[in-house]
Amino acid sequence: MNKQARIFVAGHRGMVGSALVRRLAADGYQNVITRSRKELDLTDQAAVNRFFESEKIDVVLLAAARVGGILANATQPGEFIYENLVIETNVIHAAYRAKVERLVFFGSSCIYPKQCPQPIREEYLLTSPLEPTNDAYAIAKIAGVKLCEAYNREYNTQYVALMPTNLYGPNDNYDLKSSHVLPALLRKAHEAKLNGDATLTVWGSGTPLREFLHVDDLAAATLFVLEHNVTEGLFNVGVGNDLSIRELAECICKVVGFEGELVFDASKPDGTPRKLLDVSRLAHMGWQATIGLTDGIASTYRDFVESHAGSTPAAAIEA
Ligand code: GFB
């Protein structure tokens, strides 16, 4: 891909968008275009159309989304379905109108059915019902995948969809009510250690299995897809193995140095029992993740401590 290409990273302040911006800069891309929410509200269709008409974008990386962990998804389904549908339709349609040929849309492994055969292949999409704790978000993301496919078919665009498994890394959300499990447990372990607590509370039973991908690996996969001129399709992005939430909690406690007991809060939902992605589609093309979970958690923890140094953890990390 041309290093002078005008690449719009939508959602550049989020965990995925900021990883994309870092990676593009490291690879020498010179025209990376970003807009804060104040500068461009992606839920405002007229504003999005104006932006695309004036900016002559070549490539869109659509990482802007309303995201959250299991509790936020389960309790705010209206916000998750509405905001994601509107952002996707506005950006994808405006990109097509402005003759943007290439776009990468980011979804999530929760688009696949709850009771999927494991590991989950891309073709299992829409074969049986979704996990209820995040079906609103999943429906919005499935709509994004289908928008890309439909526009490619009707308008000859080259819009690709990447479905990462559960992500973690720098710039994650550490608010305990709305975050995903990995940042939540990092924060809880850090605070428990500082406070000298005897226990750390883990939601649910600890038995669900999850796969975790460092967001820098997702950025690497995105550049791989762009630089290999992939023009269409749905691609899972993961590491190819998973672990239980209990094992994750133990690994985090080890990295952080918290030596107390784990307590499981059965009043909180477990969510889908397992969602291990089959990553052979990208692997056959030559891409695989390189950041191991323990190393990734250790570097994320360093980043967490540095970003919030100088103030009490609880006060520093409110969303
Ligand atoms: O990461 P998480 O919130 O989302 O939760 P999902 C994963 C598992 O970790 C669930 C457990 O079984 C949680 O009950 N868990 C344990 C915790 N302790 C905690 C904690 O302190 N905080 C959180 N958040 N979880 C989301 C979807 O599903 O994953 C989204 O809701 C999206 O739509 C995202 O797909 C990647 O993996 O269950």
Side-chain angles (χ1 to χ4, degrees), residues 194-213:
L194 291 189
N195 297 335
D197 294 343
T199 60
L200 181 159
T201 302
V202 180
W203 293 357
S205 64
T207 58
L209 296 161
R210 292 289 184 276
E211 176 185 12
F212 294 93
L213 178 76

Side-chain angles (χ1 to χ4, degrees), residues 181 185 188 198-209 243-253 258 260-270:
V181 59
L185 293 180
K188 286 184 191 176
T199 60
L200 181 159
T201 302
V202 180
W203 293 357
S205 64
T207 58
L209 296 161
L243 76 175
S244 71
I245 295 301
R246 175 191 282 277
E247 289 168 325
L248 174 74
E250 288 166 355
C251 178
I252 288 174
C253 289
F258 172 69
E261 295 293 313
L262 298 179
V263 173
F264 292 87
D265 175 1
S267 72
K268 293 289 195 303
D270 268 345

Side-chain angles (χ1 to χ4, degrees), residues 102-174:
R102 305 193 70 189
L103 178 146
V104 179
F105 171 71
F106 296 92
S108 159
S109 56
C110 71
I111 63 164
Y112 295 110
K114 174 173 183 153
Q115 301 293 349
C116 243
Q118 307 283 322
I120 304 172
R121 299 174 65 87
E122 287 87 347
E123 49 269 33
Y124 299 161
L125 185 67
L126 293 173
T127 51
S128 61
L130 296 163
E131 154 63 31
T133 53
N134 56 37
D135 58 356
Y137 175 75
I139 289 284
K141 288 295 180 181
I142 293 168
V145 172
K146 292 295 167 189
L147 269 167
C148 292
E149 283 176 15
Y151 279 48
N152 289 349
R153 240 185 10 247
E154 184 169 354
Y155 306 128
N156 290 318
T157 48
Q158 300 179 0
Y159 296 174
V160 173
L162 297 186
M163 292 306 120
T165 189
N166 288 37
L167 294 167
Y168 70 99
N171 290 330
D172 209 340
N173 167 21
Y174 289 94

Side-chain angles (χ1 to χ4, degrees), residues 210-212 238-243 276-277:
R210 292 289 184 276
E211 176 185 12
F212 294 93
V239 295
N241 53 67
D242 57 5
L243 76 175
L276 176 65
L277 292 179

Side-chain angles (χ1 to χ4, degrees), residues 15 60 66 81 109 154 167 172 187 207 236-237 291 303:
M15 179 169 63
V60 176
R66 168 69 173 237
I81 194 165
S109 56
E154 184 169 354
L167 294 167
D172 209 340
R187 175 178 171 178
T207 58
N236 289 340
V237 192
I291 304 173
D303 178 78

